[in-house]
Amino acid sequence: MHGFLLTRHNRDSNDGLVLDYWLATDDGAVCLQVQQAQRVCFIAVKQQQLVTSILQKLPYAPQHWQLKPVSLKCFSGDHALAIYVSGEAVWRDVRQRLQAQGVELMEADIRPEERFLMERYITGAMQLDTVPQGRINQRFALVTDAKAKTSSYKPQLRCLSLDIETTMDGRSIHSIALYGMHDAQAVRKVWLHWPFPQPAENLPDYTQVVPNERQMLRQFVTWLEDYDPDVFMGWSLVQFDFRILCQRARDLGVRLRLG
């Protein structure tokens, strides 16, 4: 199965660190889960004794960390050792304790979900050695612990351009506008917050007039769930549009399901 990477995350679970990769495929959205993943960083062999003494004093079971030799060298020419840590919470504690004792941690800034891709030369498209077994809630399919490798797959992504208009202080949203292309047809949708008694006039037929922000946000979310875009586009989209939408949704008690 071929897919194109949209987002990636890591999270702690009862069984350890899990990597989540959301893919666009010809058959819809797929979530690839890599379970029992580990954080990895490297140290010089000369610091092995110090690191071992620090790790042995940690309040965690031994299986939460491992120190293993690898066929790598530091820039100084010294041989390197790899530290494998299970779980983000444990990793934060390990990193803080080691750095407090002057241990130089190499590649400690590389997140596990990024390392998984880097080690397989995956930059966007990937191929999995299995196929999903059914779909969850009819919205996406789940694949666990599949082998992944780079691919030349080119998806047909469903993209949407998003723009909002607000008051100067950003405490109220005047309108939400969307534009995209689907099956060679333009997709246009605008929600206009219109709290005035007189009706709004001379509006395009793709404009929906709503009396308050809460209703506007609810209609926006419902429409997005049905259209199911793969990619959002816009100017200062994360820093402004998404930030304001999330803030107003929290203020008004609307669950904003954007991904």
Side-chain angles (χ1 to χ4, degrees):
M1 183 186 73
H2 294 267
F4 192 87
L5 180 64
L6 297 176
T7 62
R8 61 270 201 185
H9 312 277
N10 76 70
R11 56 185 172 86
D12 275 334
S13 73
N14 293 333
D15 297 322
L17 187 64
V18 178
L19 311 181
D20 291 323
Y21 298 93
W22 286 91
L23 312 176
T25 75
D26 290 340
D27 297 319
V30 170
C31 179
L32 167 63
Q33 287 187 352
V34 179
Q35 300 176 346
Q36 296 182 334
Q38 293 179 306
R39 274 277 192 173
V40 184
C41 68
F42 303 91
I43 62 167
V45 168
K46 62 184 179 182
Q47 293 190 305
Q48 180 177 1
Q49 185 175 355
L50 172 60
V51 170
T52 301
S53 66
I54 296 172
L55 294 178
Q56 288 176 340
K57 296 176 183 178
L58 292 173
Y60 309 110
Q63 64 266 27
H64 284 293
W65 61 268
Q66 290 179 306
L67 196 59
K68 293 183 178 181
V70 290
S71 57
L72 299 173
K73 289 186 177 181
C74 311
F75 285 122
S76 63
D78 295 329
H79 288 281
L81 289 172
I83 303 176
Y84 295 89
V85 180
S86 300
E88 283 293 288
V90 178
W91 162 250
R92 287 191 292 269
D93 191 18
V94 167
R95 182 176 184 175
Q96 182 179 7
R97 290 172 185 255
L98 292 177
Q99 290 181 332
Q101 295 298 318
V103 177
E104 181 183 1
L105 301 178
M106 291 168 281
E107 297 191 7
D109 58 329
I110 300 179
R111 300 177 63 83
E113 65 271 27
E114 301 293 347
R115 184 179 295 279
F116 178 88
L117 299 174
M118 292 165 55
E119 291 177 346
R120 292 158 180 81
Y121 304 100
I122 297 172
T123 57
M126 69 173 72
Q127 181 179 352
L128 306 181
D129 67 345
T130 187
V131 295
Q133 300 298 319
R135 303 190 69 79
I136 297 178
N137 297 329
Q138 303 300 315
R139 299 192 61 81
F140 70 93
L142 180 65
V143 176
T144 58
D145 295 321
K147 292 183 179 179
K149 63 180 181 180
T150 187
S151 166
S152 59
Y153 170 70
K154 294 182 179 180
Q156 294 294 321
L157 296 178
R158 186 175 294 187
C159 302
L160 269 182
S161 178
L162 168 67
D163 184 47
I164 67 172
E165 300 297 333
T166 72
T167 55
M168 289 295 293
D169 57 11
R171 295 183 179 180
S172 180
I173 301 175
H174 291 318
S175 65
I176 303 174
L178 298 171
Y179 179 85
M181 295 290 294
H182 182 57
D183 293 334
Q185 297 292 324
V187 176
R188 299 181 178 90
K189 188 66 179 180
V190 175
W191 290 269
L192 177 64
H193 174 205
W194 189 263
F196 310 107
Q198 65 273 24
E201 298 179 349
N202 301 320
L203 299 176
D205 57 5
Y206 51 79
T207 301
Q208 181 73 42
V209 177
V210 292
N212 56 68
E213 282 185 84
R214 181 177 287 107
Q215 185 173 335
M216 177 171 61
L217 288 170
R218 286 174 175 168
Q219 291 187 16
F220 168 65
V221 170
T222 299
W223 189 92
L224 282 182
E225 287 183 332
D226 181 64
Y227 188 76
D228 193 22
D230 297 310
V231 178
F232 284 102
M233 303 178 295
W235 178 258
S236 193
L237 188 63
V238 174
Q239 293 87 346
F240 180 73
D241 300 78
F242 280 168
R243 178 177 62 83
I244 297 297
L245 285 169
C246 289
Q247 181 61 57
R248 293 304 295 150
R250 283 193 296 267
D251 293 343
L252 298 171
V254 178
R255 185 180 178 187
L256 194 62
R257 297 184 290 270
L258 294 180

